[in-house]
């Protein structure tokens, strides 16, 4: 059952989210309905940065589009399939013959906006909504203003294979919607609310949409996860390796809804993995200790996810966090052990160092919140998306916000 947010808690959440309550009536039933000031869609637009601090931004559309300045004044029409390149300028930016503080491009007739950085080797992509290009500290930033639900069409397909069971895709839609709104209210800045990479959550534009991802978003429209009337930080990851973690056992702060639970990710291709490093590779990746002799566990989570490790070499030792080790060795997670392999190489100091090291690990990601492969496993066994999200987010309530 989709439950209702408490009045006081929800009102506080609305204030933080920037929603504006007008003089219209509102009410609570089994589903919460919010009647907001028109235009309703503008209240649900997300600002997603597509390019950040780049030397140039190319914008266009697959339909005719309207070019406007930062104040909304129409500059002209851009024909279908035509693009323009904006570059930094003393006034802010330059595009065509205009010197502007900012520029909007708004596709017409349901078109998609095109955004690209012409100076890198990646190709541009099409996005729903419209785009604002503004000067920022180190260049230009392109921000996609897109309806929350339409944004999720792409996020679900960017974060999870579109061929997966619909219930898993629905669970991803609810988690991603909650996460986006939580980040909007806690981490958004004056330019954008979210980015488009996995640092926030992946957003690959229209090409990542599919009929299944659109269906999953529409079936869960407006549904979010709350705890004590507040949006939760609905973090998720690929695979935990058998058991998710309490938030404080990996990060710092304990959150009551981010509790470690048994995972259902045994079918994940990253459930268990191994990597082998030569002594020279280890010495290059972990510097300051010379030839590495051994690794000593300092602290681990209850599920043996590495928190701190001491690296002992023939010219010194140093402590690293689990995340630092993961980054240095480019590993999938911090749930791993390191074993020296047979054979030794003599160092200049006379100590014998192993010739190689084998890393054996499980899972992919930080291991907190919903496991995506676990969602796949639960859905394959007949669980609904409600079962999935309430399993991974303990004590959270599935709620709905709808704007008319």
């Amino acid at each position: 059952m989709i439950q209702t947010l408490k009045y006081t808690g929800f009102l506080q959440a609305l204030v933080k989210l920037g929603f504006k309550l007008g003089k219209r009536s509102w009410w609570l039933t089994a589903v919460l309905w919010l009647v907001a000031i028109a235009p309703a869609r503008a209240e649900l637009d997300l600002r997603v940065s597509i390019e950040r601090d780049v030397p140039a931004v190319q914008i266009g559309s697959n339909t005719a589009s309207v070019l406007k300045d930062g104040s909304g004044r129409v500059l002209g029409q851009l024909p279908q399939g035509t693009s323009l390149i904006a570059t930094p300028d003393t006034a802010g930016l330059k595009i065509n013959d205009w010197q502007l503080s900012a520029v909007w491009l708004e596709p017409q007739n349901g078109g998609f906006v095109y955004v690209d950085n012409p100076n890198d080797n990646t190709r541009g992509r099409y996005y729903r909504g419209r785009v604002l290009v503004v000067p920022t500290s180190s260049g230009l930033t392109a921000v996609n203003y897109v309806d929350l639900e339409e944004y999720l069409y792409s996020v679900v397909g960017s974060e999870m294979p579109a061929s997966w069971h619909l219930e898993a895709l629905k669970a991803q839609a609810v988690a991603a919607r909650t996460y986006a709104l939580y980040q909007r209210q806690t981490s958004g800045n004056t330019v954008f609310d979210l980015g488009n990479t996995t640092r926030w959550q992946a957003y690959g534009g229209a090409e990542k949409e599919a009929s299944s991802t659109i269906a999953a978003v529409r079936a869960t429209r407006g549904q979010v996860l709350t705890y004590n009337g507040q949006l939760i930080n609905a973090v998720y990851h690929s695979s935990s390796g058998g058991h998710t973690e309490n938030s404080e056992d990996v990060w710092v702060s304990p959150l009551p809804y981010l509790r470690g639970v048994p995972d259902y990710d045994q079918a994940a291709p990253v459930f268990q993995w191994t990597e082998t490093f030569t002594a020279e590779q280890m010495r290059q990746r972990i510097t300051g200790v010379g030839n590495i002799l051994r690794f000593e566990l300092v602290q681990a989570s209850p599920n043996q996810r590495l928190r701190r490790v001491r690296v002992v070499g023939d010219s010194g030792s140093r402590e690293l966090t689990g995340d630092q080790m993961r980054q240095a060795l480019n590993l999938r997670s911090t749930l791993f052990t390191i074993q020296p392999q047979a054979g030794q190489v003599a160092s200049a100091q006379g100590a014998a160092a192993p010739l190689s090291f084998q890393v054996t690990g499980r899972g992919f990601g930080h291991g907190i919140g919903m496991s995506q492969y676990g969602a796949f496993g639960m859905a394959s066994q007949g669980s609904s998306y409600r079962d999935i999200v309430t399993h991974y987010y303990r004590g959270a309530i599935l709620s709905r916000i709808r704007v008319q």
Side-chain angles (χ1 to χ4, degrees):
M1 177 180 178
I2 301 175
Q3 299 191 32
T4 296
L5 296 173
K6 292 181 179 179
Y7 168 63
T8 53
F10 179 59
L11 188 56
Q12 293 169 357
L14 289 180
V15 172
K16 291 182 179 180
L17 282 170
F19 287 90
K20 299 176 181 177
L21 286 170
K23 294 183 180 179
R24 294 183 177 182
S25 60
W26 60 274
W27 64 96
L28 295 173
T29 59
V31 174
L32 181 67
W33 297 80
L34 170 65
V35 181
I37 299 173
R41 176 171 176 172
E43 301 295 343
L44 286 174
D45 270 0
L46 284 180
R47 304 171 304 159
V48 187
S49 65
I50 305 301
E51 299 288 350
R52 290 169 293 280
D53 295 322
V54 295
V57 173
Q58 183 177 4
I59 55 175
S61 175
N62 64 342
T63 64
S65 55
V66 177
L67 200 68
K68 298 180 179 180
D69 66 14
S71 66
R73 179 175 61 94
V74 174
L75 300 172
Q77 296 277 338
L78 198 63
Q80 175 183 353
T82 305
S83 65
L84 297 175
I85 295 178
T87 55
D89 185 77
T90 53
L93 62 85
K94 182 176 182 180
I95 187 166
N96 244 15
D97 295 327
W98 293 291
Q99 289 180 307
L100 306 166
S101 60
V103 65
W104 287 96
L105 186 69
E106 300 181 357
Q108 304 296 291
N109 304 316
F112 293 81
V113 66
Y114 176 82
V115 182
D116 187 22
N117 174 5
N119 294 311
D120 67 14
N121 294 322
T122 61
R123 59 184 176 83
R125 291 177 174 175
Y126 285 93
Y127 301 87
R128 292 178 183 266
R130 53 195 175 129
V131 66
L132 173 68
V133 181
V134 295
T136 45
S137 59
S138 302
L140 299 179
T141 293
V143 183
N144 179 205
Y145 281 62
V146 59
D147 177 80
L148 169 63
E149 300 299 315
E150 294 182 346
Y151 159 78
L152 293 170
Y153 296 165
S154 172
V155 170
V156 173
S158 301
E159 286 285 355
M160 189 174 276
S163 59
W164 278 14
H165 196 290
L166 184 60
E167 294 302 305
L169 296 175
K170 290 179 185 178
Q172 180 65 67
V174 172
R177 184 183 293 108
T178 309
Y179 181 82
L181 292 176
Y182 180 90
Q183 293 301 314
R184 184 188 189 214
Q185 75 176 35
T186 59
S187 303
N189 56 49
T190 57
V191 179
F192 57 86
D193 303 315
L194 296 158
N196 62 339
T197 67
T198 53
R199 176 183 170 188
W200 290 275
Q201 54 186 2
Y203 174 52
E207 69 181 62
K208 291 297 184 178
E209 297 180 10
S211 58
S212 58
T213 68
I214 294 172
V217 172
R218 289 178 175 173
T220 62
R221 181 174 178 83
Q223 294 180 26
V224 294
L225 292 158
T226 62
Y227 190 91
N228 286 341
Q230 303 292 324
L231 290 167
I232 72 168
N233 186 10
V235 294
Y236 51 89
H237 59 282
S238 178
S239 163
S240 74
H243 203 285
T244 69
E245 298 281 353
N246 297 327
S247 58
E248 69 272 19
D249 290 331
V250 176
W251 296 335
V252 177
S253 300
L255 292 170
Y257 49 84
L258 294 179
R259 302 291 88 198
V261 296
D263 203 358
Y264 295 85
D265 62 336
Q266 288 75 18
V270 290
F271 181 75
Q272 189 161 336
W273 43 266
T274 59
E275 300 281 353
T276 301
F277 298 89
T278 65
E280 178 61 19
Q281 288 173 327
M282 278 291 191
R283 190 175 67 82
Q284 290 177 352
R285 296 187 183 209
I286 303 175
T287 60
V289 297
N291 294 305
I292 295 174
L293 305 177
R294 62 186 180 276
F295 294 88
E296 298 176 352
L297 178 64
V298 177
Q299 186 181 17
S301 76
N303 293 309
Q304 297 309 300
R305 196 171 294 266
L306 189 66
R307 297 197 67 178
R308 298 197 68 83
V309 64
R310 182 178 296 107
V311 185
V312 180
D314 59 6
S315 62
S317 65
R318 58 183 294 203
E319 276 196 17
L320 298 175
T321 67
D323 283 337
Q324 288 171 330
M325 279 289 296
R326 180 187 177 186
Q327 292 171 11
L329 301 180
N330 193 27
L331 301 175
R332 295 176 179 86
S333 75
T334 58
L335 184 58
F336 63 86
T337 58
I338 304 178
Q339 295 295 329
Q341 298 300 287
Q344 294 180 328
V345 56
S347 70
Q349 288 77 10
L355 284 172
S356 63
F357 297 84
Q358 181 171 288
V359 181
T360 303
R362 297 202 311 274
F364 195 163
H366 48 62
I368 303 173
M370 187 180 76
S371 158
Q372 292 167 312
Y373 272 101
F376 171 82
M378 290 185 69
S380 300
Q381 295 173 21
S383 296
S384 71
Y385 77 96
R386 295 176 180 85
D387 298 329
I388 295 169
V389 295
T390 54
H391 172 72
Y392 288 105
Y393 303 107
R394 307 302 285 182
I397 295 173
L398 193 61
S399 308
R400 179 183 289 147
I401 303 172
R402 182 172 179 178
V403 177
Q404 292 183 327

